[in-house]
C-alpha cells in the first residue's frame, strides 16, 4: 500500500533507449512509463523524438537512459580481472552494473563501452535539456520496449520512502519528482488555509475580545474578593488581640457590680456597631464592653455605674441609654465601658 502511494507521488518516469548502430550512429526510442503494483504500463512512446519532445518528456520526471548495441560489452562480474581493468580506468571506460534472474539464479554483470564513443551522445543529450546522470549500459537487444520496461520496473521495485532520504542518484531523482508533483497541492492547501483564516479571523478576534473582557472582569472580582478577605483577616486579628486582662476576668469584674434588682440582657466585649451585611466588613467597637439590662428600680442603674467606675480594671463607664418600657414599666439601660 505504501509503495503504491509513493509510486503515485513520484509519478511517471522517462526511459530513453539508445542503440548504437556503429560508433557514430545510434537510434533513440523514448518511453514514458507509470508504475502500478509490481509492474508498469507505457503511457507514451516515440521513435527518434526531436529536441523539444525530449525536453518536454524529461522535465520534472526521473530519467533513465539505457545504452546498448555497438561497442557495449557485457561480462559477468565473476571475471574479476575485466571488472578491475574497467573500473580502474574511468577516463577510458564508462560502465554500469546490473543483475538479472536466469533459471531462478541471480547473475551479476558489468556492461562497459569506451568513453570516447558515448561522449558525443552525452553532449548532445545535455544540449537538449536531458539529464545524463543515470545512464545504464546493457547487452544488445532488439526490443527497446522490453528494455524500457526492465529499467522502469527496476526503478519502481527499489523505490521506498527510505530511499527519498538517501543521497543516491535514484533517491535524488525520486525526491525531486515528488517535490515537483506535490508543489501545487501543498500550495493549494496553504492558499485554502489562508482563505479560511481570512474569513475566520474576524470571528476569532471578536471571540478573543469577549474572552478578554470576561477574564478582566473575573480578575477584578478576584482582586476585590482578596481585598475583602485581607480586610476581614485584619479585623479578626485586631478583634482577637489580647487586652491587658483576659475577657473572662473583665466580664467577671463587671458582673460583680450588678445589683440583685438588675437583670442583664447583654454583656459583650468589642460588640458590632451594626448588623453584618453581605459584601461588607463587620464594624466593631474596639476596646469597649457594653452592658444592657432592665430593672424595676431606676436607682439600681446609678448603683451599677458607681461600681463600674470604682473598678480598677475598667478605665471609664458612661451611660449611653436609659428609657422606660411602657408595657412592662421596667427601666432599660445601656452602659459602655472603656477597657
Amino acid at each position: 500500500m505504501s509503495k503504491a502511494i509513493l509510486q503515485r507521488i513520484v509519478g511517471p518516469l522517462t526511459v530513453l533507449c539508445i542503440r548504437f548502430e556503429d560508433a557514430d550512429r545510434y537510434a533513440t526510442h523514448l518511453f514514458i512509463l507509470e508504475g502500478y503494483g509490481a509492474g508498469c504500463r507505457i503511457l507514451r512512446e516515440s521513435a527518434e523524438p526531436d529536441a523539444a519532445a525530449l525536453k518536454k518528456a524529461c522535465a520534472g520526471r526521473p530519467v533513465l537512459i539505457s545504452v546498448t548495441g555497438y561497442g557495449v560489452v557485457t561480462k559477468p562480474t565473476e571475471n574479476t580481472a575485466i571488472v578491475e581493468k574497467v573500473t580502474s580506468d574511468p577516463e577510458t571506460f564508462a560502465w554500469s552494473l546490473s543483475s538479472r534472474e536466469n533459471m531462478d539464479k541471480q547473475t551479476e554483470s558489468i556492461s562497459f563501452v569506451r568513453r570516447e564513443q558515448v561522449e558525443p551522445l552525452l553532449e548532445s543529450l545535455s544540449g537538449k535539456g536531458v539529464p545524463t546522470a543515470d545512464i545504464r549500459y546493457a547487452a544488445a537487444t532488439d526490443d527497446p520496449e522490453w528494455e524500457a520496461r526492465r529499467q522502469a520496473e527496476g526503478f519502481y521495485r527499489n523505490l521506498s520512502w527510505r530511499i527519498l532520504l538517501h543521497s543516491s542518484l535514484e533517491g535524488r531523482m525520486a525526491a525531486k519528482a515528488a517535490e515537483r508533483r506535490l508543489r501545487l497541492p501543498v500550495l493549494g492547501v496553504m492558499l485554502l488555509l489562508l482563505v479560511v483564516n481570512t474569513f475566520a479571523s474576524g470571528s476569532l478576534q471578536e471571540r478573543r475580545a469577549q474572552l478578554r473582557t470576561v477574564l478582566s472582569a473575573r480578575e477584578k472580582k478576584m482582586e476585590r474578593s482578596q481585598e475583602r478577605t485581607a480586610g476581614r483577616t485584619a479585623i479578626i486579628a485586631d478583634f482577637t488581640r489580647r487586652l491587658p486582662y483576659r475577657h473572662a476576668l473583665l466580664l467577671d469584674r463587671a458582673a460583680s457590680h450588678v445589683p440583685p434588682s438588675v437583670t442583664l440582657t447583654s454583656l459583650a466585649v468589642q460588640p458590632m456597631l451594626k448588623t453584618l451585611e453581605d459584601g461588607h466588613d463587620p464594624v466593631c467597637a474596639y476596646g469597649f464592653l457594653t452592658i444592657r439590662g432592665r430593672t424595676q428600680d431606676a436607682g439600681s442603674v446609678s448603683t451599677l455605674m458607681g461600681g463600674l467606675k470604682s473598678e480598677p480594671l475598667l478605665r471609664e463607664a458612661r451611660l449611653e441609654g436609659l428609657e422606660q418600657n411602657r408595657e412592662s414599666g421596667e427601666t432599660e439601660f445601656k452602659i459602655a465601658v472603656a477597657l
Side-chain angles (χ1 to χ4, degrees), residues 239 243 247-248 250-251 267-272 285 287-290 339:
F239 180 78
L243 295 170
H247 293 181
L250 295 174
L251 295 175
L267 187 60
V269 178
Q270 300 183 160
M272 289 192 298
F288 281 89
L289 166 68
T290 60
L339 302 177

Side-chain angles (χ1 to χ4, degrees), residues 26-46:
Y26 53 84
T28 304
H29 280 79
L30 181 148
F31 296 89
I32 298 177
L33 303 98
E34 182 181 45
Y36 67 96
C40 59
R41 58 173 171 265
I42 297 176
L43 302 180
R44 189 166 72 251
E45 63 177 296
S46 174

Side-chain angles (χ1 to χ4, degrees), residues 231-295:
R232 289 173 181 175
T233 302
I235 291 172
I236 293 173
D238 189 25
F239 180 78
T240 57
R241 74 179 186 272
R242 292 176 179 268
L243 295 170
Y245 304 96
R246 291 185 178 274
H247 293 181
L249 177 59
L250 295 174
L251 295 175
D252 181 68
R253 296 308 301 159
S256 66
H257 297 286
V258 178
S261 60
V262 173
T263 301
L264 295 183
T265 58
S266 172
L267 187 60
V269 178
Q270 300 183 160
M272 289 192 298
L273 297 179
K274 62 179 181 179
T275 305
L276 184 64
E277 298 178 0
D278 186 23
H280 294 79
D281 297 327
V283 180
C284 301
Y286 300 108
F288 281 89
L289 166 68
T290 60
I291 302 174
R292 294 175 182 271
R294 62 180 182 272
T295 180

Side-chain angles (χ1 to χ4, degrees), residues 30-189:
L30 181 148
F31 296 89
I32 298 177
L33 303 98
E34 182 181 45
Y36 67 96
C40 59
R41 58 173 171 265
I42 297 176
L43 302 180
R44 189 166 72 251
E45 63 177 296
S46 174
E48 301 300 336
D50 57 19
L54 279 174
K55 186 175 182 179
K56 182 178 179 181
C58 297
R61 296 193 185 101
V63 178
L64 309 179
I65 301 175
S66 175
V67 178
T68 62
Y70 179 85
V72 179
V73 180
T74 301
K75 295 291 183 180
T77 55
E78 297 173 355
N79 193 335
T80 57
I82 294 180
V83 172
E84 182 177 356
K85 179 180 179 181
V86 171
T87 56
S88 62
D89 191 2
E91 295 183 358
T92 303
F93 299 103
W95 76 89
S96 65
L97 298 173
S98 62
S99 62
R100 294 187 182 183
E101 290 186 3
N102 187 12
M103 301 296 291
D104 297 332
K105 182 180 179 181
Q106 196 81 6
T107 60
E108 301 286 338
S109 61
I110 182 172
S111 298
F112 57 92
V113 65
R114 287 190 171 275
R115 190 169 293 276
E116 62 185 16
Q117 178 178 326
V118 296
E119 283 294 341
L121 169 64
L122 299 181
E123 293 177 1
S124 175
L125 293 177
S126 297
K128 297 174 182 178
V130 179
T132 59
D134 192 12
I135 296 184
R136 291 108 185 265
Y137 302 96
T141 176
D142 294 329
D143 189 355
E145 180 180 331
W146 177 87
E147 176 63 19
R149 287 183 180 276
R150 186 179 73 86
Q151 296 289 351
E153 289 172 358
F155 176 84
Y156 285 120
R157 182 169 55 252
N158 296 328
L159 189 62
S160 65
W161 293 101
R162 184 178 299 178
I163 201 174
L164 295 179
L165 304 177
H166 289 178
S167 59
S168 63
L169 184 59
E170 290 82 359
R172 291 196 299 270
M173 286 195 301
K176 187 174 181 180
E179 176 192 0
R180 184 181 181 88
R181 287 175 63 86
L182 290 176
R183 187 181 303 165
L184 287 178
V186 170
L187 290 176
V189 171

Side-chain angles (χ1 to χ4, degrees), residues 195-206:
V195 172
V196 172
N197 181 67
T198 300
F199 286 104
S201 60
S203 60
L204 290 176
Q205 291 177 358
E206 182 180 354

